[in-house]
Amino acid sequence: MQDQDFILFEDYLSGYLSLEEKQAFETRLENDAPFNKAFEAYKETSGFLEHHIKNTAGTEAFKANLERVSSAYFNKQVPSKTKRMNPWYYSMAAAAILAIGFFIAQQFSSPVYDDFANYGTISLTVRGTQNNLTTKAETAFNNHNYKDAERYFLDMLETDKDNIELQLYRAVSLVELNKYDEADKLYNNIIQTPSVYKNKAIWYLALSKLKQGDEEACVNVLKTLPEEAEDYQQAQELIDKLD
Amino acid sequence: MSHKKNHEDQKYIDGLVQNNAFVIQTIYDKFAPKVINYIKQNSGDVANAKDVIQETIITIYHQATEKGLQLTCPFDAYFFLLCKRKWLNQLKKRGKKEVTINEEVLSKDDDAQELAFETSLFEQQHSLFKDMFQKLGQACKDLLTATFKIKSMEKVAESLGVTYAYARKKKSLCIGKLTKMVQESPRYKNLKP
C-alpha cells in the first residue's frame, strides 16, 4: 500500500471526506479486494492504538487490583508449603487447642457478629485519578475507623449519589457504628437493584440483623441469598448455627 | 461477530471491565482451584498457577475492553481451557514432553473451545501489536500517543510544535507504518484463523 492510501484511510475514518469522496471510497471497498483488505488492517491497527494508548491508566489500575486479589488469594494457599513439624509439637499443639477451645466454648455459646463480619480491605482509588477524599475514605475504612469512613462516604455520595459501591461501604460503616436503621435501609435499596453488589448487600444485611440480636430476621435474610453468591457457604454455616 | 446469545456468566466479563474487586475475588474463589490442581498435576507448582491465572485474566480484560468480548459459554470451561493452553505452551517452550493432555474431559463444550481459540488468537495479536509499537520510531510513537490521548488534532499539532496538516498526514503514515511492520513480522502468519 502507498502513503496516499493510508492518508485516504485516515481521512475516511476521521470523517474528513466529502459525501462524494466517501461514496467513492465505499464503492472501492466493495469492488477492490486488496484495497479492502489493506483498509481492514489499517482499521485494526488504529483500533489497537486507540485502546492501548487511551486506556493505559485503566489497564494499570486493573493490573494493580488484580495483583492485590491474586496475592491475597495465593497467600492463603501457603500452608501446604510449610515445613513438617516435629511430632512432639503435635501433642503440645493439641493441648493448646483443647485449652483455647474450652475457653472459646465458654465465652460464646451462640454465633456472634464478629465471627462472620469480615469485610476485608477495600480499594477505591484508581492510579492517576485518585482524589484526596477517596484516599481518606479508603484508609479510614481499612483501618476500621468507621466513624470517619462513614462521613467521607457520605461526602462522596453527595456528588455521586448513585454509586452503589459507596452506598454498600457506607452501610457497613453504619452497622459498625450501631446505626442499624439507616444501614438496613441502604442495604435494602441495594438489594432491589440488579447491581453486582446485590448479593453482598443481602449477606451484609443478615450480618447487621445478627449484630442487632435479631436471629429470626437474620435467618430470613440469609435464606434469600442465591446459591451462586460468593458468601453462600458461610450463610449456610450461619443458618445451621442459628437453627 | 457471532449472534449467539450471551451466557449468564457474562457478568464475570463485565465485572472485569469495571475493574470490580468483588468479581475478581469471585473468579479466584470459584475457578482458580481447578487450574491450580491441573498445573500441579502437570509438572508445575502454585507459583506457576498464580502467573498463568493472572496472565489469562489480563488477556480476557484486554479482549473485553478492546473488542467487547461476548461470552457464549460458561466462564468455567472457557477460563480453564485458556489457562490450560497457556500452561501447555509454557511447558512446550521449556522442552518438557511428558504432559498429560486429557482432551476428552475438556472438549465437551464446543462454544468454549471456539471462544478460547479466539481469545488465544487475540492474545498473540495484541502482543504482536504491542511489540511492534515499541519498535516504532520515537517520533511516530510520540505523535500517536498524543493523537490518541488528545482528541483534537489541532491541539496535538500545537503540543508537538508542528502544523495541523503535517500532524494529520503523519498520523496516517505512522499507523500505516505500524500496520506494515505487523504484517511483515514472521509471527503475523500464525494469527489468521
Side-chain angles (χ1 to χ4, degrees):
Chain A
M1 278 292 126
Q2 302 302 309
D3 287 354
Q4 284 315 313
D5 293 316
F6 296 137
I7 294 171
L8 188 59
F9 293 161
E10 189 57 43
D11 284 348
Y12 176 76
L13 288 174
S14 310
Y16 288 129
L17 295 186
S18 70
L19 192 63
E20 276 162 42
E21 287 169 325
K22 193 173 158 238
Q23 278 168 353
F25 184 88
E26 282 164 358
T27 312
R28 191 167 168 201
L29 276 185
E30 275 174 36
N31 300 320
D32 184 343
F35 182 76
N36 188 318
K37 214 175 140 202
F39 174 67
E40 287 303 323
Y42 183 94
K43 206 167 76 175
E44 184 141 43
T45 307
S46 180
F48 161 78
L49 288 168
E50 167 109 25
H51 174 265
H52 182 62
I53 294 170
K54 229 194 247 163
N55 198 29
T56 318
T59 304
E60 286 308 314
F62 178 78
K63 284 185 181 168
N65 212 0
L66 177 65
E67 174 60 45
R68 209 160 23 227
V69 175
S70 167
S71 295
Y73 181 85
F74 279 94
N75 283 343
K76 276 194 293 184
Q77 309 268 319
V78 164
S80 60
K81 277 183 165 178
T82 49
K83 272 193 298 182
R84 262 190 84 80
M85 274 196 297
N86 184 328
W88 159 246
Y89 288 118
Y90 284 116
S91 54
M92 274 169 58
I97 288 167
L98 267 178
I100 295 167
F102 184 65
F103 175 74
I104 290 175
Q106 276 197 322
Q107 289 278 309
F108 315 110
S109 51
S110 60
V112 287
Y113 172 76
D114 290 337
D115 297 342
F116 287 89
N118 174 16
Y119 299 112
T121 55
I122 62 167
S123 166
L124 298 166
T125 48
V126 174
R127 211 184 289 174
T129 61
Q130 62 219 67
N131 68 45
N132 212 3
L133 192 58
T134 317
T135 319
K136 277 188 193 164
E138 188 185 298
T139 315
F141 188 93
N142 289 340
N143 290 329
H144 308 293
N145 175 2
Y146 296 107
K147 196 166 163 239
D148 287 344
E150 195 274 323
R151 216 179 54 223
Y152 296 137
F153 288 134
L154 193 61
D155 281 355
M156 288 163 81
L157 281 162
E158 248 169 46
T159 49
D160 192 7
K161 70 175 171 38
D162 295 324
N163 188 324
I164 293 185
E165 191 180 8
L166 292 179
Q167 291 176 18
L168 184 75
Y169 299 147
R170 182 171 169 243
V172 169
S173 310
L174 285 167
V175 170
E176 291 291 334
L177 299 169
N178 300 333
K179 292 180 181 168
Y180 303 114
D181 287 350
E182 247 179 301
D184 292 359
K185 213 171 103 190
L186 273 174
Y187 284 139
N188 278 314
N189 283 341
I190 300 171
I191 293 169
Q192 300 307 316
T193 67
S195 103
V196 286
Y197 299 107
K198 191 179 155 176
N199 291 340
K200 273 285 164 201
I202 298 178
W203 170 238
Y204 290 169
L205 177 63
L207 292 181
S208 166
K209 298 292 184 202
L210 181 67
K211 196 174 177 212
Q212 294 169 52
D214 190 345
E215 294 188 355
E216 195 188 333
C218 175
V219 172
N220 286 338
V221 174
L222 287 174
K223 285 182 177 162
T224 64
L225 194 66
E227 225 169 293
E228 72 269 14
E230 195 190 333
D231 302 297
Y232 184 77
Q233 285 302 337
Q234 282 202 78
Q236 298 315 302
E237 266 175 49
L238 184 53
I239 292 175
D240 286 347
K241 287 189 180 167
L242 289 173
D243 269 351
Chain B
M1 256 304 146
S2 78
H3 294 282
K4 281 173 199 157
K5 206 172 152 270
N6 274 358
H7 193 274
E8 56 170 334
D9 284 354
Q10 179 72 27
K11 66 186 177 206
Y12 296 116
I13 309 286
D14 296 343
L16 290 180
V17 172
Q18 292 155 9
N19 192 7
N20 181 320
F22 277 133
V23 172
I24 301 176
Q25 181 71 55
T26 310
I27 290 175
Y28 274 90
D29 289 340
K30 279 188 151 177
F31 308 116
K34 194 164 150 189
V35 177
I36 299 171
N37 263 337
Y38 179 81
I39 291 180
K40 274 179 161 171
Q41 280 165 14
N42 287 283
S43 328
D45 59 20
V46 177
N48 297 132
K50 184 179 182 221
D51 292 344
V52 165
I53 292 174
Q54 219 160 325
E55 284 165 26
T56 302
I57 294 178
I58 291 174
T59 299
I60 299 176
Y61 170 81
H62 280 311
Q63 200 188 0
T65 48
E66 197 176 323
K67 302 262 163 143
L69 170 66
Q70 303 290 316
L71 200 67
T72 48
C73 62
F75 188 81
D76 186 11
Y78 168 69
F79 184 68
F80 182 69
L81 268 174
L82 282 176
C83 290
K84 190 195 110 187
R85 281 206 188 141
K86 189 177 273 296
W87 177 237
L88 293 182
N89 277 331
Q90 289 186 12
L91 283 182
K92 224 195 280 172
K93 276 188 200 149
R94 285 196 213 161
K96 291 206 175 180
K97 294 267 154 60
E98 72 284 15
V99 176
T100 19
I101 305 180
N102 203 349
E103 281 296 343
E104 285 100 306
V105 194
L106 305 162
S107 55
K108 274 183 204 148
D109 197 323
D110 284 348
D111 280 347
Q113 288 279 358
E114 203 182 308
L115 203 60
F117 180 68
E118 271 174 35
T119 300
S120 325
L121 270 185
F122 169 83
E123 183 180 20
Q124 293 171 48
Q125 196 182 29
H126 186 88
S127 96
L128 175 59
F129 270 113
K130 242 171 75 178
D131 294 349
M132 290 301 132
F133 180 68
Q134 284 313 315
K135 284 191 184 161
L136 208 58
Q138 196 58 45
C140 264
K141 251 195 269 182
D142 291 345
L143 183 117
L144 289 175
T145 306
T147 309
F148 285 98
K149 268 205 179 127
I150 312 170
K151 260 272 168 258
S152 129
M153 279 308 276
E154 282 90 351
K155 285 196 180 139
V156 171
E158 207 184 294
S159 77
L160 296 171
V162 295
T163 64
Y164 168 69
Y166 177 81
R168 253 181 67 181
K169 182 179 163 197
K170 194 77 185 150
K171 178 187 177 189
S172 41
L173 298 186
C174 288
I175 298 180
K177 173 108 178 64
L178 180 58
T179 312
K180 274 188 182 166
M181 281 165 68
V182 166
Q183 288 176 337
E184 282 160 9
S185 157
R187 281 152 73 189
Y188 181 71
K189 64 176 190 311
N190 303 326
L191 291 181
K192 295 292 152 191

